[in-house]
Amino acid sequence: MTSAILPTYARYQLAFDRGEGAWLITASGDKYLDFGGGIAVASLGYNHPHLVDALIQQAQKLWHTSNLFQIPLGEAFARRLVDATFADNVFFTNSGAEALELTIKMARKWNSANGAPERFHIITFEGAFHGRTLATIAAGGNAKYLDGFGPKMPGFDQVPFGDLDAVKAAIGPQTGAILVEPIQGEGGIRVGAPDFIRGLRALCDEHKLLLCFDEVQCGMGRTGKFFAYELYGVAPDILASAKGIGGGFPLGAVLSTAEAGKGMGLGTHGTTYGGNPLAMACGNAVLDILLAPGFLNDVARKGLLLRQSLAGLAAEHPDVIAEIRGEGLMQGIKLRVPNADFASAARAEKLIVIPAADNVVRIIPPLIVSEDEIREGVRRLGAACAHFEVAATPKGKLGANS
């Protein structure tokens, strides 16, 4: 059958009918251990009873009213986010790209409100991914995503990730903010060094710039902290969140200090669906689990188990694995074989991993994954490595077992 869907995805020949915990299940009953989490979205896994119950209860009452009216669930959700973070204000969106669009707008508006509208430039970083809108592909700077869409939106000055001297050199009279993923996801699980992230904060303070964090992928408990900025001992002025915040329901949020948000007055931004009752019920349910006593500590503990297990795997398969990198339940395997081929080999072992840049596959399972499932997943990764092992033949020639 010819698909009626616009052909922008190279989809695998695999479809799932249902899910349970960290497992995805096909219509024929084949079970796959999901170490991709819907690209870090399924924070509570699949069919989590608390999330399902919250969704059903709200669906039976009210799905949508619009932001013309008060939405008590949204007020409660925003207050919980503020109380748990650096932020004073929250704006709800439907996606990560929308959250980044508002982050960019908010940074520009802040400078304009301070009497410096010419300071609309934002320093961004090579390897970044901030979304697929015209503004966010310009911020990310990836030529592949920019090609064919006309002139690149101005106002983004890109420098190498981790290079504080390059950031200093890029700051000029038009610079108003710095936008960074503390841990790059699509870029290959590249972790910002503490001195680098803290250095960005110091530069922003020195030059009166806004520090903006994209935590769409690394936030919401993924690293063992509620948000990754907590790993560094510094806070941003604006933070974009999405993916795991809704546990699979489309939801994003922008968190900001009162100062950073001061330019966003009545009518400066809006959304039809963002923050509607159904989304807010799901978001609150996710927070019920993530902020429960001990949950994030448990994620951190499981992240350490995963990291140690992957390090052992790398030692066993040095011809396949070049490096392990990441934090918590956000790990990357940099490979010596093509990452798309490795992901295919993993699927043959009924394990889902997600390719990223720099020839990396991401290991980003649901936060509720068990220790036994982590061990089983690493065992299956080992089996995937075996697809590429090189062994000597009786005649001394080399051949790949694939």
Side-chain angles (χ1 to χ4, degrees):
M1 179 184 296
T2 302
S3 175
I5 297 174
L6 194 69
T8 60
Y9 300 113
R11 298 180 190 266
Y12 306 133
Q13 294 301 307
L14 181 63
F16 296 108
D17 179 65
R18 60 195 187 278
E20 191 68 40
W23 297 83
L24 289 167
I25 308 166
T26 68
S28 61
D30 289 331
K31 294 181 67 176
Y32 286 73
L33 182 54
D34 185 13
F35 268 25
I39 316 183
V41 168
S43 51
L44 301 185
Y46 303 99
N47 203 26
H48 192 288
H50 185 65
L51 186 53
V52 170
D53 186 57
L55 178 65
I56 290 174
Q57 285 193 35
Q58 187 58 43
Q60 292 173 336
K61 294 194 294 185
L62 185 66
W63 291 21
H64 179 78
T65 58
S66 93
N67 287 298
L68 294 173
F69 302 97
Q70 298 289 322
I71 302 176
L73 281 171
E75 294 288 344
F77 188 27
R79 175 54 54 191
R80 295 174 76 184
L81 289 170
V82 164
D83 289 346
T85 67
F86 71 95
D88 301 307
N89 301 305
V90 180
F91 185 96
F92 293 114
T93 69
N94 309 286
S95 68
E98 289 174 78
L100 266 299
E101 283 278 335
L102 176 54
T103 297
I104 293 164
K105 288 179 67 175
M106 189 179 291
R108 290 185 173 193
K109 192 71 169 176
W110 178 77
N111 282 283
S112 179
N114 285 336
E118 73 281 0
R119 298 181 67 188
F120 67 93
H121 279 238
I122 298 175
I123 295 173
T124 61
F125 296 91
E126 294 172 6
F129 181 86
H130 299 298
R132 297 286 195 140
T133 67
L134 288 175
T136 54
I137 60 174
N142 188 320
K144 179 175 67 174
Y145 300 145
L146 288 162
D147 182 48
F149 294 110
K152 176 184 174 182
M153 179 179 287
F156 300 99
D157 302 312
Q158 217 171 34
V159 300
F161 183 67
D163 189 338
L164 206 57
D165 288 336
V167 177
K168 293 175 184 177
I171 295 173
Q174 289 186 299
T175 307
I178 296 173
L179 171 61
V180 64
E181 297 165 277
I183 303 174
Q184 290 188 340
E186 301 287 334
I189 313 296
R190 300 168 71 201
V191 181
D195 287 350
F196 172 64
I197 300 298
R198 293 168 189 159
L200 295 180
R201 177 71 273 174
L203 284 173
C204 286
D205 293 341
E206 177 185 353
H207 294 277
K208 295 182 172 54
L209 313 175
L210 290 182
L211 180 59
C212 308
F213 276 11
D214 177 345
E215 293 215 25
V216 167
Q217 193 162 148
C218 66
M220 295 306 294
R222 177 58 49 190
T223 65
K225 298 291 187 182
F226 189 35
F227 284 105
Y229 76 82
E230 299 172 56
L231 296 169
Y232 298 96
V234 297
D237 302 295
I238 305 173
L239 182 149
S241 177
K243 289 190 180 290
I245 196 172
F249 194 93
L251 176 59
V254 177
L255 287 65
S256 77
T257 63
E259 171 63 22
K262 73 178 184 182
M264 303 302 295
L266 189 65
T268 55
H269 196 65
T271 170
T272 298
Y273 294 105
N276 71 21
L278 204 54
M280 297 298 90
C282 292
N284 274 300
V286 169
L287 281 198
D288 290 343
I289 304 300
L290 262 60
L291 297 181
F295 183 84
L296 291 175
N297 288 337
D298 191 50
V299 171
R301 182 180 53 78
K302 291 186 292 188
L304 182 60
L305 171 64
L306 176 61
R307 178 57 177 257
Q308 291 172 338
S309 301
L310 291 175
L313 191 71
E316 292 172 10
H317 302 280
D319 292 334
V320 179
I321 298 176
E323 180 187 358
I324 305 298
R325 53 174 74 154
E327 288 283 347
L329 291 178
M330 185 179 185
Q331 298 291 328
I333 303 175
K334 181 172 173 60
L335 295 159
R336 302 188 193 279
V337 300
N339 61 353
D341 292 349
F342 186 89
S344 179
R347 289 194 301 276
E349 301 297 333
K350 293 187 168 54
L351 177 72
I352 305 298
V353 296
I354 308 294
D358 201 24
N359 204 38
V360 165
V361 291
R362 283 170 280 180
I363 310 299
I364 40 179
L367 304 183
I368 51 81
V369 66
S370 71
E371 291 185 12
D372 285 344
E373 287 166 337
I374 288 172
R375 295 186 183 97
E376 175 60 20
V378 172
R379 186 195 69 76
R380 296 186 187 199
L381 286 169
C385 287
H387 287 238
F388 303 93
E389 298 292 347
V390 176
T393 67
K395 294 183 180 180
K397 296 181 180 180
L398 296 180
N401 295 327
S402 59

